[in-house]
Amino acid sequence: MFDNIFAFLKKIKVPDIPFSFFWRTSRVVGIDVGVHSVKVAELDSEGGRAVLKTYGELLGKSYLKEGGGGGGGFLQYHDDEILQILTEVLRASSVKAKDAVFGIPSASSFITTLTLPRLSSDELEKAIPFEARKFVPVPIKDVVLDWQILETASDGEHVEVLLVAVPKDVITRIEGIAARAGLRLRGTEIESFSIIRSVLKNDFTPTAIIHIGHQSSVVLISDNGELRVSHTVGRGSNEWTRALERGLGISADRAEEIKKEIGLSERIEEREISATIRPLVDAFFLEVDRIFSFYHRKTGRRVQKIEFSGSGSSLKGVIEAAVMHFEIEVKRANPFLKVVTPPSMEDILEEIGPSFTVAVGLALREISSR
């Protein structure tokens, strides 16, 4: 039951645009349930291209209550609450697709790379689950394992293996929510792979994607077109919001507005605001530095550019601050560049794009691999 919807590692190669489709038109909706909001993106294949049909987002504060659900990410909420907000965002966004791909939060998954001796395919099939026991923090019988051979190590005698594990009860919960919502679950995918798919094109240089979420963030490193590092950082944009609330004595809603309108401004009259959150942003960048340094020590390769995604990337001035700190190319991600969209919506989609990297990537998983 699990293998049919979880064997996704064979599909993480980044597709070119336009896609070549040889099947009938079929809509797919990518569903990204976060701790702060639920986002959906519905795509269709028309004339050899992925076409955006609709998208939508609904904040969770009126629907989701912290605690009680168990699990990481959105799985901390009760299934009934998740179902309620999911049903509402699908209705409000006029989603017509019944085929769906659900995102799995990085906090509820485990991703690492292993170095193993060069063996035959059959020998690796037996060796990898045994080796995984040393790294996966829960019993192997309780998880779904998948893996992909990345490359031969520099010594020629070993291979690098990308290993993924997700608890079976996570898949079971998602299956139940999808069924209750009247959806056909075409797949589940850890958000790291969805982000890579929606953001990167055929780029073989070491590239990082910093996905800033509400409670936590994910730092990804792709090299030679494949995911090499997926590291969860326990810092998110809500940390900046709460600092502004406390420091300025304002509401959470006003703090969110200030992050987008003023953020890290260098204007003299706004420095009190930027000074409140800049130390937190600097601390976040230092954590990213450690991840980059580890990758460089391990591979001898340095990250050459960064793309920011997630709702936290809307912090005004964060791109400029990152350029100053990392001294490499930095930009915001825009997953809508990979799909056909109305020209009149170009500006708004560019603005909201970083927040929809997971949802678009999930839908592209099915659209681009049939």
Side-chain angles (χ1 to χ4, degrees):
M1 175 179 67
F2 297 109
D3 292 342
N4 290 338
I5 62 172
F6 191 69
F8 59 84
L9 284 178
K10 312 306 184 285
K11 301 180 180 180
I12 65 174
K13 288 288 189 179
V14 181
D16 265 333
I17 301 295
F19 304 112
S20 296
F21 300 127
F22 301 99
W23 57 90
R24 64 183 179 82
T25 299
S26 181
R27 296 189 181 203
V28 178
V29 59
I31 299 175
D32 173 22
V33 184
V35 298
H36 183 61
S37 70
V38 176
K39 305 176 188 72
V40 296
E42 183 184 35
L43 302 183
D44 200 350
S45 55
E46 296 179 2
R49 299 210 173 186
V51 178
L52 177 68
K53 305 306 293 187
T54 187
Y55 66 93
E57 178 180 15
L58 192 59
L59 297 182
K61 60 183 178 181
S62 298
Y63 299 85
L64 305 174
K65 300 176 179 61
E66 288 191 20
F74 74 86
L75 294 168
Q76 66 189 270
Y77 304 122
H78 287 291
D79 290 359
D80 288 346
E81 296 173 353
I82 298 170
L83 178 63
Q84 183 183 13
I85 188 173
L86 173 59
T87 301
E88 180 60 23
V89 73
L90 291 171
R91 184 201 64 78
S93 305
S94 300
V95 171
K96 296 180 181 179
K98 291 301 180 183
D99 290 343
V101 184
F102 270 71
I104 298 173
S106 295
S108 295
S109 60
F110 179 83
I111 303 174
T112 191
T113 54
L114 308 177
T115 301
L116 298 176
R118 284 183 61 85
L119 301 169
S120 68
S121 298
D122 289 343
E123 289 173 323
L124 281 174
E125 287 284 331
K126 297 176 182 178
I128 291 173
F130 180 81
E131 192 70 15
R133 298 173 188 272
K134 303 177 184 178
F135 299 92
V136 178
V138 296
I140 294 299
K141 66 180 179 62
D142 295 332
V143 302
V144 180
L145 282 179
D146 205 356
W147 58 84
Q148 177 174 306
I149 308 301
L150 295 177
E151 63 178 16
T152 301
S154 57
D155 61 9
E157 298 180 0
H158 294 81
V159 293
E160 295 290 327
V161 179
L162 181 67
L163 177 72
V164 171
V166 173
K168 291 179 179 178
D169 60 356
V170 170
I171 307 297
T172 299
R173 286 189 63 188
I174 292 175
E175 284 184 313
I177 292 168
R180 292 175 65 189
L183 298 169
R184 291 185 292 266
L185 188 62
R186 297 300 300 263
T188 58
E189 183 167 75
I190 299 171
E191 62 184 7
S192 300
F193 298 102
S194 305
I195 295 166
I196 288 285
R197 182 183 297 105
S198 68
V199 173
L200 297 185
K201 295 182 106 172
N202 289 327
D203 196 329
F204 294 92
T205 61
T207 301
I209 304 175
I210 302 176
H211 185 81
I212 307 174
H214 184 69
Q215 287 184 346
S216 62
S217 303
V218 183
V219 179
L220 309 174
I221 298 178
S222 173
D223 201 351
N224 288 321
E226 295 176 316
L227 179 66
R228 300 305 180 95
V229 173
S230 176
H231 188 92
T232 300
V233 177
R235 292 174 176 269
S237 63
N238 191 48
E239 181 181 43
W240 306 335
T241 303
R242 298 192 67 179
L244 289 171
E245 285 183 71
R246 293 191 300 266
L248 304 179
I250 57 177
S251 68
D253 289 342
R254 180 56 184 151
E256 287 289 340
E257 292 174 0
I258 287 176
K259 282 197 310 185
K260 297 178 181 179
E261 296 170 0
I262 299 175
L264 301 174
S265 172
E266 292 292 340
R267 296 175 61 180
I268 294 176
E269 63 271 25
E270 295 171 339
R271 284 185 179 174
E272 178 186 0
I273 292 172
S274 61
T276 302
I277 54 177
R278 183 171 289 278
L280 298 174
V281 174
D282 290 342
F284 177 76
F285 285 170
L286 289 175
E287 291 205 39
V288 176
D289 273 333
R290 286 191 283 271
I291 297 168
F292 288 1
S293 295
F294 175 80
Y295 186 73
H296 177 239
R297 291 195 302 272
K298 181 180 179 180
T299 67
R301 291 168 66 81
R302 295 185 185 275
V303 171
Q304 299 296 312
K305 53 187 174 181
I306 299 171
E307 295 211 32
F308 274 85
S309 69
S311 57
S313 65
S314 63
L315 173 69
K316 188 175 179 62
V318 70
I319 301 299
E320 293 78 5
V323 170
M324 292 290 291
H325 181 91
F326 297 104
E327 298 183 331
I328 57 177
E329 178 186 346
V330 183
K331 64 180 181 179
R332 281 190 178 85
N334 183 4
F336 293 110
L337 293 176
K338 286 200 169 184
V339 301
V340 177
T341 60
S344 60
M345 297 183 66
E346 181 177 341
D347 291 342
I348 183 63
L349 293 178
E350 181 177 359
E351 179 182 345
I352 68 172
S355 295
F356 280 83
T357 52
V358 175
V360 172
L362 289 166
L364 283 174
R365 175 190 186 274
E366 287 300 301
I367 289 289
S368 64
S369 60
R370 296 184 185 183

